[in-house]
Amino acid sequence: MGRMKRPGRVAVGDRVRFEGRIRGVLAVAAQAVTLTDGEEPYLVVPLLELFAAADFEVMTSPVRMPLPATSLLEAFPAREVDKALWWEGHILEVLHGLPPDAEPGTTVRPEYGPERSLTARQRAKAAELTAAGHKVSASTVAHRRRRYQERGVLGLADHRPVRRTAEFGEVDDAVVAAMRQAIKEAVDASTRTGTFILWRTGEILKETPDRQRAGLPSQRTLYRLLAKLTSGTHTTGSAVTRRSRAHGATTPHGELPVLAPGEVMQIDSTPLDVLVLLDNGVTGRVELTAMIDVATRTLTAAVLRPTTKAVDASVLLARTVTPELMRPGWSDALRMSRSVLPHRRLLALDERLAHAAARPVIVPEVIVCDHGKAFLSRNFVSSCRFLEIEVQPAHQGSPFEKGHIEKMLGSVATLFAQFLPAYTGRSVEHRGRHLERERVWSLLELQELLDEWIVAKWQNRKHDGLRDPVHPGRLFTPNEKYAALVEACGYVPVALSGDDYVELLPAEWRVVNEYGIRIKNRTYDSRALGPMRRQNSGVRAKRGLWEVHRDPYDVSRIWVRNHRGDNEWVPATWKHLNRAPVPFGDLAWDHVSHQLPRATEAEIADAVAALLTRAHDGPQTGQDPQPGKRDRRVAARTKAAGPLTPASVAGAQAEPEDEADESEESVAEVIPLGLFDPLEDPWKRS
């Protein structure tokens, strides 16, 4: 009886070699072990017989065929891959007795039979390869076998062609550390060139102890090192972007789930890259202040002013929570009734939406802003507190916390501003020549174009951030997302009443003269001001002046608080309103049938194209063609709101034949109607 080979341990789950086969251990008792036996349920073998077997061996790890790391092999040359696959076939024959490409039923060669030990099979493979012209030793085969069992086919490849190099080559670590410090010092400083960074690196090295001091490599090596260390940091570029990247979050960004319109909204300002004709007749740049809803990406309001003030933020808030009314000249495809928005449901809540444009009315719950004076002013904060809106300032130097509005403001330049005349570009080096010679829009006209662009383009543009979670390949427009969320969360906006809207407008104190009230070289008057003319308001703190509220972006009217009465608002209209375009002239749309189909994408695209063409051409200076009789009747009905251009009645229907001989005098008999009055209560209409 031969000498027994006692293993260190035999436990359930181990794999052992016994009688020329590899078997699994099912159970271990004091005198015997239970092994798998192929087709038989099991085989019970006494321990003495098992240990005395000539081929007994405890397999330290299961013999398996590793999957080739195909993705990593792609980095190797084709010749090395072929050589590794060649070695794999021979190693598998050593381990399992048959090569991987053996046909079913192939008999194992005796030198690789299960009765032979692993060492014997390795010696046989070395002899076979040497006889075939590949001089290989048994130790080489054993080394390849071990690498294969550890790393698969990747362990059989020669790694020299793809050997990794040091991250910074042979540059000393002290030089790398000094340059990192110089780059860190430049984060909050003014932007300098790479030459300064290299000089500062040398100065930092001089301050290190002698025993740790390293010599500077060549200038070309230093510039290559600088390029690696400053990649994506904007060290020699934009200071704003550099600080934003450096002070941004170093851990994975969290996600703020926003599931309802108005749950989180963002507000910000930026200069608009267009020259505008200001009220004083001088061309200059203006600032754009806008608010966006995170859940739907709806641009709820955007206003243009020479400078952003606290009152602008309050007016922006007022516009956000009030409907955007259709204007003369707008395409009928931009009406809310022809959009995907739930117009009928909202119309039942507020009849003022009958003439509304396709822009949702969203009441904010939280407004995220920066630390600008306009957004943290007493006026804006008080308005938000009045509407029960939480104001959440972003952290200092963290514009990514309001990235949605930052991205939107950048999109205005590429999608709208560059189509306008006198476009200045984003910097001086992008500015054209003789911009002052171009026909520039006035501030009020440009505001009108911007409002139309928001309804026509932005609200109907598919947004990459509005994807269906179940079907990520589908994109939504802001209007489509709003309609979907209304169905999902039951959101119902409660718009401001007329009094609330007027209360949010900026206030001024004026004298009511015999001719009315004069503001910004415009005179406003109405019959209701009769008892106030040349009278003292009774407000001693304001020396008897009257409180006047006005919308800086709508010059058509103002509101005067009657301090001598019940503090009700008395409207007054601009005297020369009939000589200028009207911001709110919704009555021009009454002659269009209300039973219109939903606007198609082609109609919206045509409206956007016409808008951009009109914006690029600049204000017209010539005489417009005369409108038709039907259009003149529509213009007469809205004469109290100001004259209409031919574009404002482009949607008018053709005149019936039985009215072809109608005289011009019939136009004068039409009773003119007034402007849209936000003070009018829609629930009290007859």
Side-chain angles (χ1 to χ4, degrees):
M1 186 173 181
R3 182 181 178 183
M4 292 188 298
K5 297 173 291 183
R6 295 184 180 274
R9 57 184 294 275
V10 176
V12 176
D14 288 346
R15 306 188 68 176
V16 299
R17 187 186 298 277
F18 179 68
E19 294 183 351
R21 297 178 60 182
I22 297 177
R23 306 169 186 267
V25 179
L26 300 178
V28 178
Q31 301 295 329
V33 295
T34 304
L35 307 175
T36 58
D37 189 30
E39 298 179 357
E40 299 296 330
Y42 55 87
L43 175 67
V44 178
V45 181
L47 289 176
L48 294 178
E49 181 181 349
L50 179 67
F51 294 158
D55 63 343
F56 171 72
E57 179 184 2
V58 178
M59 312 301 294
T60 56
S61 61
V63 179
R64 60 180 178 83
M65 184 181 298
L67 294 175
T70 308
S71 59
L72 295 178
L73 282 178
E74 294 177 356
F76 289 79
R79 179 180 177 182
E80 297 299 330
V81 175
D82 295 339
K83 186 177 180 180
L85 296 176
W86 177 81
W87 265 110
E88 181 186 30
H90 292 289
I91 295 300
L92 289 176
E93 187 175 14
V94 171
L95 293 175
H96 303 286
L98 291 174
D101 55 350
E103 296 291 335
T106 304
T107 305
V108 179
R109 290 189 291 176
E111 57 269 28
Y112 301 109
E115 68 280 356
R116 295 180 63 86
S117 65
L118 183 60
T119 303
R121 293 196 299 272
Q122 291 174 167
R123 285 198 297 266
K125 178 56 68 175
E128 176 188 342
L129 293 178
T130 302
H134 306 282
K135 189 176 181 179
V136 176
S137 63
S139 61
T140 301
V141 176
H143 177 67
R144 297 274 182 174
R145 188 259 307 168
R146 288 191 294 269
R147 291 181 58 181
Y148 181 77
Q149 289 181 323
E150 293 176 359
R151 303 181 58 187
V153 68
L154 190 64
L156 301 177
D158 186 357
H159 287 66
R160 286 176 295 180
V162 293
R163 184 172 297 169
R164 297 179 182 178
T165 58
E167 183 178 5
F168 303 111
E170 298 181 356
V171 180
D172 193 277
D173 293 340
V175 178
V176 176
M179 186 170 291
R180 288 186 187 275
Q181 181 179 344
I183 295 172
K184 184 177 181 180
E185 294 175 356
V187 169
D188 295 318
S190 300
T191 301
R192 294 181 171 91
T193 63
T195 304
F196 173 82
I197 302 298
L198 299 188
W199 172 82
R200 181 58 186 152
T201 301
E203 293 297 309
I204 295 174
L205 285 175
K206 292 179 182 179
E207 299 173 0
T208 59
D210 294 340
R211 58 184 178 182
Q212 299 179 0
R213 184 177 302 174
L216 285 174
S218 65
Q219 193 173 33
R220 295 182 60 183
T221 302
L222 286 175
Y223 272 111
R224 286 195 297 266
L225 176 62
L226 179 65
K228 291 182 179 180
L229 295 179
T230 60
S231 177
T233 62
H234 291 260
T235 299
T236 58
S238 171
V240 176
T241 307
R242 178 172 66 251
R243 290 191 293 269
S244 177
R245 294 285 182 87
H247 300 308
T250 57
T251 57
H253 289 261
E255 183 178 357
L256 177 63
V258 182
L259 305 177
E263 189 173 350
V264 177
M265 302 184 72
Q266 298 176 356
I267 185 173
D268 200 6
S269 298
T270 188
L272 189 68
D273 301 327
V274 176
L275 293 181
V276 180
L277 185 62
L278 304 177
D279 290 344
N280 56 7
V282 178
T283 58
R285 294 180 62 180
V286 294
E287 288 196 4
L288 168 65
T289 305
M291 184 179 295
I292 192 172
D293 175 52
V294 176
T296 64
R297 301 303 196 275
T298 295
L299 188 53
T300 57
V303 294
L304 300 172
R305 291 290 287 170
T307 58
T308 302
K309 300 180 181 179
V311 294
D312 300 329
S314 298
V315 173
L316 191 75
L317 180 60
R319 287 196 164 197
T320 296
V321 295
T322 52
E324 179 72 61
L325 298 182
M326 292 290 292
R327 322 281 180 84
W330 286 16
S331 171
D332 194 68
L334 306 184
R335 298 175 65 93
M336 182 181 290
S337 59
R338 298 194 62 192
S339 69
V340 298
L341 298 174
H343 177 255
R344 291 187 178 181
R345 178 187 302 180
L346 300 176
L347 184 61
L349 300 175
D350 192 344
E351 294 182 5
R352 292 177 296 179
L353 296 176
H355 297 288
R359 192 215 73 191
V361 179
I362 301 178
V363 179
E365 296 181 12
V366 177
I367 296 179
V368 180
C369 61
D370 56 23
H371 292 259
K373 295 181 180 179
F375 308 126
L376 296 181
S377 64
R378 181 184 305 174
N379 193 347
F380 180 70
V381 174
S382 298
S383 300
C384 292
R385 188 181 298 114
F386 167 75
L387 296 175
E388 298 182 354
I389 299 172
E390 179 183 353
V391 178
Q392 182 64 55
H395 292 87
Q396 292 281 6
S398 302
F400 58 87
E401 294 184 356
K402 50 183 180 64
H404 299 292
I405 187 66
E406 297 279 354
K407 180 65 176 177
M408 188 283 303
L409 293 175
S411 299
V412 171
T414 57
L415 299 177
F416 176 69
Q418 68 171 339
F419 293 91
L420 299 171
Y423 173 65
T424 62
R426 64 177 184 267
S427 63
V428 176
E429 61 182 3
H430 293 87
R431 183 169 300 179
R433 301 177 62 187
H434 308 303
L435 298 181
E436 66 281 355
R437 300 179 184 177
E438 300 186 20
R439 293 181 298 179
V440 297
W441 293 99
S442 68
L443 184 59
L444 295 177
E445 292 171 332
L446 187 57
Q447 179 69 56
E448 179 90 3
L449 290 173
L450 178 61
D451 293 338
E452 182 179 359
W453 176 83
I454 292 174
V455 177
K457 177 65 176 179
W458 182 268
Q459 292 299 122
N460 296 285
R461 174 176 174 262
K462 294 186 181 297
H463 200 289
D464 186 67
L466 302 178
R467 292 184 179 271
D468 187 349
V470 181
H471 306 285
R474 181 184 179 186
L475 279 71
F476 289 95
T477 66
N479 281 351
E480 292 173 343
K481 189 65 174 182
Y482 177 87
L485 290 182
V486 166
E487 296 294 334
C489 64
Y491 173 82
V492 178
V494 181
L496 288 183
S497 65
D499 288 338
D500 294 336
Y501 175 82
V502 176
E503 288 288 353
L504 284 177
L505 298 179
E508 298 183 16
W509 295 83
R510 289 289 189 273
V511 175
V512 181
N513 296 299
E514 293 181 352
Y515 55 82
I517 300 175
R518 190 171 180 84
I519 299 178
K520 296 285 185 179
N521 297 321
R522 297 184 180 94
T523 303
Y524 297 86
D525 197 7
S526 69
R527 292 184 178 181
L529 292 179
M532 305 180 190
R533 301 182 192 276
R534 304 184 64 181
Q535 299 297 318
N536 190 299
S537 66
V539 182
R540 297 179 59 184
K542 293 297 181 179
R543 297 172 299 175
L545 300 179
W546 297 85
E547 183 181 357
V548 178
H549 283 206
R550 68 183 186 91
D551 188 343
Y553 316 103
D554 180 9
V555 299
S556 62
R557 63 173 54 202
I558 61 174
W559 290 268
V560 184
R561 192 190 299 272
N562 187 2
H563 299 283
R564 294 293 185 181
D566 296 330
N567 287 328
E568 70 275 9
W569 292 106
V570 177
T573 57
W574 183 21
K575 277 192 171 183
H576 300 290
L577 189 60
N578 59 340
R579 301 181 184 177
V582 185
F584 297 96
D586 57 279
L587 297 180
W589 300 97
D590 283 342
H591 71 286
V592 181
S593 173
H594 292 284
Q595 305 298 326
L596 292 175
R598 178 172 295 177
T600 63
E601 292 187 7
E603 290 177 311
I604 295 176
D606 292 341
V608 175
L611 165 65
L612 295 180
T613 301
R614 188 171 74 253
H616 177 72
D617 292 340
Q620 301 298 323
T621 57
Q623 296 294 330
D624 295 331
Q626 295 296 325
K629 294 181 179 179
R630 177 68 174 174
D631 297 338
R632 288 198 296 271
R633 287 199 302 273
V634 175
R637 290 182 178 272
T638 58
K639 186 175 182 181
L644 300 177
T645 62
S648 66
V649 290
Q653 299 175 348
E655 183 178 16
E657 293 182 1
D658 55 353
E659 297 180 1
D661 298 332
E662 186 177 357
S663 63
E664 295 292 337
E665 287 74 15
S666 61
V667 176
E669 299 176 358
V670 178
I671 300 175
L673 300 177
L675 289 171
F676 167 75
D677 190 355
L679 293 176
E680 187 175 358
D681 193 343
W683 286 274
K684 292 184 179 179
R685 294 182 182 178
S686 57

